[in-house]
Structures are given as structure tokens and as C-alpha cells.
Amino acid sequence: MATSTIVDDAGADAAFDLPDFDAFPVRHQIAMATADGQSLRIVWDDGFESRYHPMWLRENAPDPDTTHPVTREQSLFLLDIPDDLAVTNATLDERGGVLVEWSTGGASRYHPGWLRAYSFDAPERLFSLPKRVHWDGGFTHEVPRLDGPTVLSDESELGRWAEALHIYGVAILENLPATPEVIDQVPGRLGPIRDTNFGRLFDVRSKADADSNAYTSMTLPVHADLVTREYVPGLQFLHCLENGAVGGDSLLADGFSIVETIRRMHPDYYEALKTIPMGFYNKAKDTDYRMEGPFIGFDADGELDQVRWSPWLRAPLQASFEDTDRLYRALRHAFRLGESSEHQITVRLKPGDLLGFDNRRCLHGRTGFDPSTGSRWLRGCYVEREELHSRLRIVARHRRAAEVAET
Amino acid sequence: MATSTIVDDAGADAAFDLPDFDAFPVRHQIAMATADGQSLRIVWDDGFESRYHPMWLRENAPDPDTTHPVTREQSLFLLDIPDDLAVTNATLDERGGVLVEWSTGGASRYHPGWLRAYSFDAPERLFSLPKRVHWDGGFTHEVPRLDGPTVLSDESELGRWAEALHIYGVAILENLPATPEVIDQVPGRLGPIRDTNFGRLFDVRSKADADSNAYTSMTLPVHADLVTREYVPGLQFLHCLENGAVGGDSLLADGFSIVETIRRMHPDYYEALKTIPMGFYNKAKDTDYRMEGPFIGFDADGELDQVRWSPWLRAPLQASFEDTDRLYRALRHAFRLGESSEHQITVRLKPGDLLGFDNRRCLHGRTGFDPSTGSRWLRGCYVEREELHSRLRIVARHRRAAEVAET
């Protein structure tokens, strides 16, 4: 891993092909490559200019001494590169790439598609996910449905399931067996199941010793699960085993669409929900999870990321009288929209149906049911949203690699 | 759940005792309680004045129709309270509490310790955790050690283990059996194990088909695991089963202490590390986790929350040339401190030792080892930091309840 292992020209040449995880088609040719003392400068055929930092180039050199060919993790340690590393020469090669010579001796060769994709002066999101679609914009209150057995046997159909969960925040797989092990097998195709204090798998049915409102026969207004956690589970799956009682319909609403409606119609409520820190807490006998934060959360890009939508796990608010008043008005308005026919849809799950949804976006609830008229049994689990994102990126990676292979 | 179920005086009286999860000693008496039309006003014996919102009081009324006595979750739905709910009368009772009468009929009774604790006009953190101690301030480079079998048999020793993990970010349990099932049993005492793409439990030993640098015999500079995730695992446990090879010592460093040193000595580096978004990514064959964010992260209170300390899972930086230069300087400085004898300590794990640490704070690494001289085998798992926090709050809850019982 010392700098003495930096590859010579022959090694650089062998490593020219892009790895599957970082393949980019060549859309622009390099017109000129120069070493300006410290860095590499490139002028592209469309006139665009890029400048690359020597440390950055060295760290990302496409050779097996830099990235371990088996673990696919970096094995060159940043501190093994000398402080004063410089690019001493840069030349175009016959394949359209650049051969960079180092002040330490040796050289590295870079692919033009890769260099352009990572061009410093026009940083772009290279691996962005498909855009989410809110239910009031193109999603006509029909939950996407896919055939469960096909999803399990066909990788591209698995990809479509993942896309529906990401884009619409909800999807139902149909025609799966109504057997208890399905919940342990099918969501796991997207990634590991997240264990919680309610168990790795949980049974939603009326219990005498219920440690959650979910385990009664009560009506449940729409809500998100586990809002008391720093990291609210990203995906929830509920597999229907029995649904023979009177009542017990499933209720769904798009929390992001509701938030967007509030933003447009009641900016004051929106402001309260995004700025006033609330407390969320779990008062169970053996666990005491607490979280503080606003009702609405955003990601690093300022995009809506989650709603901590909980009718029953909010702690006594600790805020000024005025903020308390503002927040209660905003919250009651939000809850009213969540229960309105404009935003809420009803689904009757059939035994074998697997309902999946983005638990940080899509709210779920149920109508009350009468346990004396039949039994209702759903089995559930959580999977993280980033497992879904990983799956979507693998789909995109394979598409990109196929595109590159054709160029 | 309708407002008609609001308890009458008798019910309010029966519900006067505070629940275990929300018990506060009476440190101040109520001098005067009045209804000011909308809200409840209280003057305390020390002259402090509090004002309580009617919606807030009603939602947090201590009766079984508001909070379900079995699920311990709220069963009164906020929308079941009328918009114009008002406090019509407030009277002191002989036990020092306040009886609040509602405009809807009925009344609720509130405990003075609880009312004072949640007083709106002096919001305080009621359930704060012990303060963390950085290794350069009181922690003299000795990892806290506890007797494993005692921790397993004694609840208060389990509490001490949890406190050490929280306060110092590291602790070793000694004298546990050197058998493969220990890792599945002991960390689980703090909360559920977090499953990942590396498995629910993972074996750290040299493997031919290594999908991580950890599974080679390479030297590993100190690092945090799984920085490619939105939610980096909070706790990591490594149980030593065999450690007979030459080399393979464990290295530890306090990331927070290093960040604090950088903040004091190199404010420019500190600024770069806390503001320039970096990419972290996993390039495995079947998963593609990506995360963007600065190297240093903070919680909602502005306290240091994590370092995404990764020598080998950083994606090619997408930043301006100037930011790239700043970040590389800062990062190399941080990595140098992490490898320095001032910040790094060495521990030789014995078979049976269980090393636990805060993976978002305490960095870990190892010296390279020679697999031909003997075998080295650690078994690991992750548990979330909020499970540790829950455990610490349960300890505090029991202490508080005992204090209240004595008053």
C-alpha cells in the first residue's frame, strides 16, 4: 500500500476498463490534456474545461493496488500518498483516455467517460433515484399491484416492485400464499429485516396483553410506525393471513401529498410543523425510546424526507404557550386531512396480499373490527429505505453497464 | 374515545397517582390556580408562574380513557377534542393538585410534580442522558472493563455497562466463554441486533472471498463501520474467540476527541470537515449503498453526533477544486491524528473478551496479522445507539420512581 506500489504504465493500461460500479459511457472526447504543475487540466470537445486535484486522481486511480479487486474497497490509505504529489505530465492515448504521470514515478490511466462524469467544475448527482410522485399528481388513488410469484421469479419484475415502492410509496403483491413464513421470505428480497422491540416479525391481531394500540381491535387513525426512533423504519410490510372479521379495512394516505397541500393552503401551519420541535415517546414497561424533532423532516437536498405522523406517541409538548397553540392548530388540521376522503383511500386486504409502503411517507391505519365475527391476522416487518435505494441503484448499474458495453 | 367519555371527578381522583414513566417528585407547591377563560394559570410557592394550554392539558390528562392502561399509548384521538375546549374552573385540592373543569363537562386532576416538570414557560430537558466524557478529559487511556458474567446476572451492573458505553464510548466485558453463541446473547441484552448485508452476526477472520477489507489480514487504520448508510450503526460489538496469530492487536481512538482537537487547533480544517458534503459508497457486487454528507455530524442540539470516518468507503469527491483541496488537507490531518500515539490506544483482546463501542464516535482498527502463525477470529454484531439510550432511561425511570415514592 506504500507509494512504491503505484502501478507503472503497463498496470495502468490493464486497468483501463471501467468497473461495473463506476461505468460511464463516453459522450465527449478529450481535446486536450495538460499538467499545470499541480493538477490535471482537460479541455473537452464541447469546449468545457475541467481541473482535477492530484490527490483525488491518485486516490481514485483504477488499479488493483488502489481498490482491492476482491473486497472492492479502497486499499490504498490516503496517508500513503505524499503531501506534495503532483502531476508531472499528461498525454492523450489512442483509446481517448489520459495517461497521468506522477511526481513519485509511475503513471495512472483514466477513462474519458469516468473523468467527464466526475468533472469537478460541474458537480452533478450521478446516482440519483427516480423522482417520487405524490398521490395527487398522476396517482389516481389506485394502489400499484403486482403478481407476487412473478416478482419472486423475475429480477426485472422485482425491480418494478422496488420502483413502485419508491415512486408511489406503496404497492401490493397479490397471489402469494397465506402462510406465516411469507413475511420472512418476500420483503427480505429487498434487504435485511429490521428487528425492533416488537420483534423481527410482528403479528397484528387483537391480543389481551397488547403493548401497542395496533394489537387491539380499535379503530386506528392513519399514522406512521415507530416515530419514537431516531431512525424511523423506511419500509413496512403487512402480509394478510386472515381477514374474516366485520371491519378491519386498511386505510392509506400519502403524508407527503398532505404536507404539500398544507404548504400551499396554510403556510403558517406548514411553518409550525417544520420548525417546532415535538417530543415522541414510547412508555412501555421495559423500553423508553424518545425522540425530539419537528413533525416534518427534510433530507440534505431540502426534499421532503419524512413525517413523524403519530396520533398516540407524542410526548407532552415542551414549547411556549404560543407555539403550543400554533402547533395544535397545525396538527389538528393535518390529522383532519389525513382522515378526509380527499386524502385517504381504503383497501380491503385479501389473504395472501402483501401490502408494502414507505413508512416515513405513506400513512396507514384501519377501521375498527369486531373480533367476535371472525379473525383478522396480519404479519408485519420493517426493511430500511436504503435497502430499497440500493436495489434501485443495482438495477441502474446494470442498465448503465449495458449502455457502456454498447459504446 | 369521544369527549363524552371524559372522566368525572371520581375518575380523575383515582388517576391522581403518577405512572412509572412520568413520575416527578413534588419540589414546589401550587400557591394559586385559576382559569383565565381559555387556559389554566398557576402561581407556584416560589413565585414562578405557568400557563397551560387546554388542548395540551386534555390530551395529557392522567386517566385510562386518554392513555390506554394496557398498551400505555394514547387512545384519545386529538380530533375527538372540540376546537373550542376551554378550562371553566380550576381549584386546588387537599393533596396539592389541581382539579380542572372543562367546558365540555367533566374534570381532570393533575399532579403538582408533573405540572411543574412540564411547565410551558421554562421548558427544560426532562430526560437527558449522562454527559459524554472525551478521552482526553478524564479518560486516561484505560478502556473500562467489567466482569461479563456479573453484567449478565445483575441488573445494576448491566446499567453500569450501558453507562460506560454511553459516557466513554467503549467498554470491555471480560471472562465470557469463548464460544460462538455469546455474540448472539450478550449484546442483545441492550436491544435487538441490527441485521445488515454482512449478516446479523459477522465473522472477522481472513477469508479468500472477502467482501470487506476487514475479512483480510491487512492492517486496518482506525475507522467507523458502515458509513455508507443513512443511519450508521450506533454500537458495535466484537467478541474474541481466537487471537493466536502474530499481530492482530486492536486499535481504538475517540473520534469526538480528535474532532475537538481539530476544532481548537485548526478551525479551517474543522470548518471543511463539518460543511463540505462528501460521498460514501459501497461498491459490492449485489449492493450499492450511497450516502452524502459532511465528515462530522451534529444532533438537533448542536452536539457532536457522529464522524463518518472512513479510509476506504469514500466516493470520488464531487466538489469544486478549492473545496477538494481544503477537504483533502483536513482529512489527511484527521487521519494522522487518528493514527497518532496521542489519540490511538492498543488493546490485545483475549479469547472471551467482548469489546463494545459507539461506532459513530469510537474508531477501531487493527494491526496486520500473519495467518500462518495462528488463527484470529472475532464475531461481531451491531445494536442501535437508541437501544442503549432506552436502557439508560429505564434505569433513570426506576431511580425517579423510587425518589417519588419516598416523597
Side-chain angles (χ1 to χ4, degrees):
Chain A
M1 321 305 148
T3 48
S4 60
T5 64
I6 285 178
V7 290
D8 60 14
D9 296 19
D13 194 59
F16 186 75
D17 290 333
L18 290 171
D20 60 341
F21 54 78
D22 226 1
F24 298 95
V26 179
R27 297 222 172 84
H28 294 280
Q29 302 294 335
I30 297 174
M32 195 168 68
T34 50
D36 72 355
Q38 276 303 312
S39 60
L40 168 69
R41 284 185 185 271
I42 284 181
V43 180
W44 300 87
D45 60 3
D46 60 350
F48 190 78
E49 294 189 28
S50 308
R51 190 175 173 213
Y52 301 89
H53 196 280
M55 201 72 78
W56 183 93
L57 283 170
R58 179 63 198 86
E59 242 212 331
N60 295 295
D63 66 72
D65 288 318
T66 303
T67 295
H68 195 294
V70 180
T71 70
R72 300 160 70 105
E73 297 181 344
Q74 202 171 311
S75 52
L76 174 81
F77 186 29
L78 187 55
L79 296 184
D80 291 332
I81 305 176
D83 276 324
D84 57 356
L85 178 75
V87 177
T88 52
N89 197 30
T91 40
L92 278 174
D93 71 15
E94 69 288 352
R95 294 165 69 187
V98 177
L99 186 74
V100 164
E101 289 166 56
W102 300 112
S103 55
T104 49
S108 302
R109 197 180 292 268
Y110 298 88
H111 187 281
W114 186 89
L115 280 173
R116 176 75 183 217
Y118 282 107
S119 175
F120 278 156
D121 299 302
E124 54 174 316
R125 307 227 153 241
L126 295 178
F127 305 97
S128 51
L129 298 169
K131 215 170 154 49
R132 290 191 179 110
V133 175
H134 291 186
W135 295 12
D136 55 356
F139 179 60
T140 54
H141 283 203
E142 280 288 337
V143 175
R145 288 170 182 270
L146 296 96
D147 180 59
T150 312
V151 163
L152 293 179
S153 62
D154 176 346
E155 277 293 313
S156 71
E157 197 68 6
L158 182 74
R160 268 189 284 277
W161 181 39
E163 275 178 353
L165 287 168
H166 171 70
I167 294 174
Y168 300 109
V170 64
I172 292 176
L173 297 193
E174 298 182 307
N175 310 319
L176 290 164
T179 49
E181 70 278 7
V182 166
I183 193 67
D184 198 10
Q185 295 165 345
V186 182
R189 294 293 293 270
L190 295 171
I193 289 174
R194 170 163 167 186
D195 198 358
T196 76
N197 60 313
F198 292 110
R200 193 171 157 277
L201 308 173
F202 50 87
D203 290 288
V204 185
R205 47 181 166 184
S206 183
K207 301 174 197 174
D209 61 341
D211 59 349
S212 160
N213 289 346
Y215 305 152
T216 66
S217 61
M218 289 166 57
T219 294
L220 297 182
V222 294
H223 62 281
D225 274 15
L226 281 84
V227 296
T228 58
R229 309 307 168 89
E230 181 184 355
Y231 195 47
V232 179
L235 295 172
Q236 180 170 170
F237 295 91
L238 292 169
H239 180 235
C240 179
L241 291 166
E242 297 171 357
N243 206 5
V246 172
D249 287 347
S250 297
L251 309 173
L252 298 166
D254 180 2
F256 287 4
S257 167
I258 294 172
V259 165
E260 192 47 37
T261 302
I262 296 173
R263 191 186 66 76
R264 281 200 320 269
M265 309 295 287
H266 291 278
D268 50 333
Y269 291 166
Y270 177 73
E271 201 57 28
L273 294 173
K274 80 182 247 201
T275 58
I276 300 175
M278 301 168 60
F280 300 91
Y281 87 143
N282 148 291
K283 312 180 271 265
K285 287 198 186 92
D286 301 318
T287 54
D288 192 316
Y289 301 106
R290 290 174 193 265
M291 185 59 207
E292 265 186 46
F295 191 71
I296 309 174
F298 299 85
D299 66 17
D301 295 324
E303 295 286 321
L304 258 180
D305 185 65
Q306 66 175 3
V307 279
R308 289 194 187 263
W309 190 291
S310 183
W312 54 71
L313 290 171
R314 285 172 293 113
L317 189 70
Q318 288 186 275
S320 70
F321 189 88
E322 291 67 32
D323 276 354
T324 302
D325 195 64
R326 283 172 66 211
L327 187 71
Y328 269 116
R329 285 177 200 277
L331 212 47
R332 288 162 64 86
H333 181 72
F335 285 172
R336 277 201 188 98
L337 293 185
E339 298 301 318
S340 71
S341 61
E342 195 189 337
H343 285 283
Q344 195 179 86
I345 60 177
T346 303
V347 171
R348 178 91 194 166
L349 293 178
K350 298 184 304 290
D353 282 355
L354 177 71
L355 170 67
F357 53 90
D358 181 338
N359 180 60
R360 283 154 73 179
R361 167 187 175 183
C362 173
L363 317 173
H364 69 294
R366 66 154 183 252
T367 59
F369 62 96
D370 179 353
S372 71
T373 57
S375 58
R376 183 178 188 274
W377 181 14
L378 309 182
R379 295 202 91 190
C381 73
Y382 304 109
V383 171
E384 293 312 343
R385 205 194 249 172
E386 56 196 338
E387 301 296 341
L388 182 69
H389 294 178
S390 167
R391 175 63 42 205
L392 291 170
R393 285 194 208 95
I394 289 289
V395 170
R397 188 199 280 180
H398 292 166
R399 256 187 231 135
R400 216 165 40 236
E403 191 186 351
V404 171
E406 286 170 16
T407 59
Chain B
M1 322 305 148
T3 48
S4 60
T5 63
I6 287 177
V7 291
D8 60 16
D9 296 21
D13 194 60
F16 186 76
D17 291 333
L18 290 171
D20 61 339
F21 54 79
D22 224 1
F24 298 96
V26 178
R27 297 222 172 84
H28 294 282
Q29 302 294 335
I30 296 173
M32 196 167 68
T34 49
D36 73 354
Q38 276 303 312
S39 62
L40 168 70
R41 283 184 186 275
I42 284 181
V43 180
W44 300 87
D45 61 1
D46 60 350
F48 190 79
E49 295 188 28
S50 306
R51 189 175 174 214
Y52 301 89
H53 197 281
M55 202 72 79
W56 184 93
L57 284 170
R58 180 62 199 86
E59 242 213 331
N60 295 295
D63 66 71
D65 288 319
T66 303
T67 296
H68 194 296
V70 179
T71 70
R72 300 159 69 109
E73 298 182 342
Q74 202 173 310
S75 52
L76 175 82
F77 186 31
L78 187 55
L79 295 185
D80 291 332
I81 305 176
D83 275 325
D84 58 355
L85 179 76
V87 177
T88 53
N89 198 29
T91 43
L92 278 173
D93 71 15
E94 69 287 352
R95 294 165 72 186
V98 177
L99 186 74
V100 164
E101 290 166 55
W102 300 111
S103 55
T104 49
S108 301
R109 198 180 291 268
Y110 297 89
H111 186 280
W114 186 88
L115 280 172
R116 178 73 183 218
Y118 281 107
S119 176
F120 277 156
D121 299 303
E124 53 175 316
R125 306 229 153 241
L126 296 177
F127 304 96
S128 50
L129 298 169
K131 215 171 152 49
R132 290 192 177 112
V133 175
H134 290 186
W135 293 12
D136 55 356
F139 182 62
T140 56
H141 282 203
E142 279 289 338
V143 175
R145 289 172 181 269
L146 296 97
D147 180 58
T150 313
V151 163
L152 293 179
S153 62
D154 177 345
E155 277 293 313
S156 71
E157 198 68 6
L158 182 75
R160 270 189 283 278
W161 180 38
E163 274 177 354
L165 287 168
H166 171 70
I167 293 173
Y168 300 108
V170 64
I172 292 175
L173 297 193
E174 298 182 308
N175 309 319
L176 290 165
T179 49
E181 68 280 6
V182 166
I183 193 67
D184 199 10
Q185 294 164 347
V186 181
R189 296 293 293 270
L190 296 171
I193 289 174
R194 171 164 165 183
D195 198 357
T196 77
N197 59 314
F198 292 110
R200 193 171 157 276
L201 309 172
F202 50 86
D203 289 289
V204 185
R205 45 181 166 184
S206 183
K207 302 174 200 177
D209 61 341
D211 58 350
S212 160
N213 288 345
Y215 305 151
T216 65
S217 61
M218 288 165 59
T219 294
L220 298 183
V222 294
H223 63 280
D225 275 16
L226 279 83
V227 298
T228 56
R229 310 305 166 93
E230 182 183 355
Y231 195 46
V232 179
L235 295 172
Q236 180 170 171
F237 295 92
L238 292 169
H239 181 235
C240 179
L241 291 167
E242 297 170 355
N243 205 5
V246 171
D249 287 347
S250 298
L251 310 172
L252 297 167
D254 181 1
F256 287 4
S257 168
I258 295 171
V259 166
E260 191 48 37
T261 302
I262 297 173
R263 191 186 66 76
R264 281 200 320 270
M265 309 297 286
H266 291 280
D268 49 335
Y269 291 168
Y270 176 73
E271 202 56 29
L273 294 173
K274 80 182 246 200
T275 57
I276 299 176
M278 301 169 59
F280 301 91
Y281 86 145
N282 149 292
K283 314 180 270 267
K285 286 198 188 92
D286 300 317
T287 55
D288 192 315
Y289 301 106
R290 290 176 192 264
M291 184 60 208
E292 264 187 45
F295 191 71
I296 310 173
F298 299 85
D299 66 17
D301 295 324
E303 296 286 320
L304 258 180
D305 185 66
Q306 68 176 3
V307 279
R308 289 192 188 262
W309 191 291
S310 185
W312 54 71
L313 291 171
R314 285 172 293 110
L317 189 68
Q318 288 185 275
S320 70
F321 189 88
E322 291 66 32
D323 277 352
T324 302
D325 195 65
R326 286 171 65 212
L327 187 72
Y328 268 114
R329 285 176 199 278
L331 211 49
R332 285 162 65 90
H333 182 71
F335 286 171
R336 278 201 187 98
L337 293 184
E339 298 302 317
S340 72
S341 61
E342 195 189 336
H343 286 281
Q344 194 178 86
I345 60 177
T346 303
V347 171
R348 178 91 194 164
L349 292 179
K350 298 186 302 291
D353 283 354
L354 177 71
L355 170 66
F357 54 89
D358 182 338
N359 181 61
R360 283 154 71 177
R361 167 188 174 182
C362 173
L363 316 173
H364 68 294
R366 66 152 185 254
T367 59
F369 62 96
D370 179 353
S372 72
T373 59
S375 58
R376 184 178 189 272
W377 180 17
L378 309 182
R379 293 202 93 191
C381 73
Y382 305 108
V383 172
E384 293 312 342
R385 203 193 250 172
E386 57 195 338
E387 302 295 341
L388 183 68
H389 294 178
S390 167
R391 174 64 43 205
L392 291 169
R393 285 196 208 95
I394 289 288
V395 170
R397 187 199 281 181
H398 292 165
R399 259 188 228 133
R400 217 165 41 236
E403 192 187 349
V404 170
E406 285 170 18
T407 57

